[in-house]
Amino acid sequence: CVGQTISTLIKRNPAVSQHDNNSLSQVAAELARQIGRRCQQTAKQDWRWKGRCIKTVDGMTVTMPDTPANQKEYPQMKAQKKGSYDQVVAYLKPPRRPVWMSQEEFAECNDFVLVRHVRYDVKVKGIRVKRITLATTLLDPVLYTVDEFAELYVQRWQVELDIRSLKTHMQMEHLKWKSPSMVRKEIYAHIISYNLIRDLIVRAAYRFDSSPKAISHQGAIQALYAFAEKLQADTVRIDALEEAMLELIADHPIGDRKPRIHPREIKRRPKPYPTMKQPRHAARRSAA
């Protein structure tokens, strides 16, 4: 299903179909952004926090074939440095432009920006982190209290569920292609598929007065599979079928997730074998 997503979308979009294979990564990136913007435009105002669009961000890792090209393009990440303050501080503009920023963007940046650091203690049993410091440009302590920030930060758990949907439900944990360009296309294929499912969830939540966070991602996939054949074959009743599918998606709510306590331990001990750094057929020849 994921492998056919990009080609199907390209065939349905005449402007996109004119691109050649060399620009397929750019086409996939643009499709992913377009679907994401469509979800954003459909969102209701009361889904926002204090009228603001909150973006939860986290990092994740995926595995891929350990070819020299992939290793050069996507090396292992370095350890992150720690550090925090509990005050309003000024973040100064760096003297040199970062490599990821254009010269025009760097020129538009102010000489400094005031940032408020708020700190609070976590008193929930079983939670690994006991003290959290958040950085924000929302400086008004009356309008934006520490307790409200703490409640908002709890919603960060949603991004963990989104990552699980990508890596587990949509089988993105291990990428299959052996060149960086194909790896990027594979990543965009997963993102496009994920955004299409999210678009269905947003439309179902909007239509039946629910919240997108309350609808199951896996339930939406199952509903789409249940209606896929009929939606392709019956073009006369397409509106009625789509309405029924959205209703079925809305009828798959996420269960009441209570705080869970899990030790950060692995169940099985790792086996003392070296990491394979060459194709299996070459390793067999070396072992022989």
Side-chain angles (χ1 to χ4, degrees), residues 59-226:
M60 71 173 185
T61 59
V62 295
T63 60
M64 64 185 72
D66 192 16
T67 62
N70 281 347
Q71 184 64 240
K72 182 179 179 181
E73 188 83 6
Y74 308 107
Q76 280 78 10
M77 61 182 180
K78 300 179 179 179
Q80 296 179 346
K81 298 180 180 180
K82 299 181 179 180
S84 63
Y85 301 90
D86 195 9
Q87 56 188 349
V88 175
V89 298
Y91 284 12
L92 301 179
K93 181 179 179 179
R96 295 183 179 179
R97 175 180 60 87
V99 295
W100 49 266
M101 181 180 289
S102 69
Q103 188 64 47
E104 292 76 14
E105 292 172 333
F106 185 71
E108 292 177 357
C109 293
N110 296 327
D111 292 335
F112 68 92
V113 59
L114 294 179
V115 178
R116 175 184 170 207
H117 289 185
V118 296
R119 176 178 294 172
Y120 62 93
D121 294 328
V122 178
K123 300 179 181 180
V124 180
K125 183 179 180 180
I127 300 298
R128 178 170 56 95
V129 179
K130 299 301 181 182
R131 174 169 290 181
I132 294 178
T133 303
L134 302 178
T136 175
T137 55
L138 303 176
L139 305 180
D140 191 335
V142 177
L143 184 58
Y144 305 102
T145 66
V146 175
D147 290 340
E148 288 176 323
F149 278 122
E151 183 180 354
L152 176 64
Y153 189 68
V154 173
Q155 299 181 23
R156 177 198 167 277
W157 174 250
Q158 181 66 38
V159 75
E160 303 287 354
L161 304 180
D162 295 337
I163 289 175
R164 185 187 67 177
S165 298
L166 269 169
K167 296 179 68 173
T168 303
H169 298 160
M170 308 192 74
Q171 301 177 4
M172 186 183 170
E173 186 166 8
H174 179 72
L175 305 177
K176 299 178 175 61
W177 291 101
K178 300 181 179 181
S179 68
S181 61
M182 292 304 297
V183 163
R184 284 191 288 271
K185 294 171 187 175
E186 189 175 0
I187 291 174
Y188 280 127
H190 280 89
I191 293 176
I192 290 172
S193 300
Y194 175 81
N195 283 350
L196 286 171
I197 297 298
R198 277 294 165 193
D199 182 54
L200 289 176
I201 291 176
V202 169
R203 290 164 59 192
Y206 189 94
R207 174 67 179 84
F208 296 97
D209 196 20
S210 180
S211 169
K213 296 180 180 179
I215 297 178
S216 169
H217 181 271
Q218 184 65 10
I221 294 178
Q222 294 172 353
L224 178 60
Y225 277 135

Side-chain angles (χ1 to χ4, degrees), residues 23-34:
S23 60
L24 187 55
S25 293
Q26 290 82 357
V27 173
E30 181 58 30
L31 287 173
R33 285 190 288 266
Q34 287 182 10

Side-chain angles (χ1 to χ4, degrees), residues 208-279:
F208 296 97
D209 196 20
S210 180
S211 169
K213 296 180 180 179
I215 297 178
S216 169
H217 181 271
Q218 184 65 10
I221 294 178
Q222 294 172 353
L224 178 60
Y225 277 135
F227 278 83
E229 186 175 350
K230 293 181 179 179
L231 287 171
Q232 294 177 0
D234 193 343
T235 58
V236 177
R237 299 185 302 157
I238 187 70
D239 292 337
L241 289 171
E242 184 174 329
E243 179 75 7
M245 181 182 66
L246 294 178
E247 183 177 3
L248 181 60
I249 291 175
D251 286 340
H252 283 80
I254 295 176
D256 184 17
R257 292 190 176 99
K258 298 180 180 180
R260 292 168 288 182
I261 300 175
H262 296 291
R264 296 180 65 84
E265 301 172 353
I266 59 174
K267 184 176 181 180
R268 297 180 180 179
R269 295 180 177 86
K271 296 181 179 180
Y273 294 120
T275 303
M276 180 176 288
K277 298 182 179 180
Q278 57 182 333

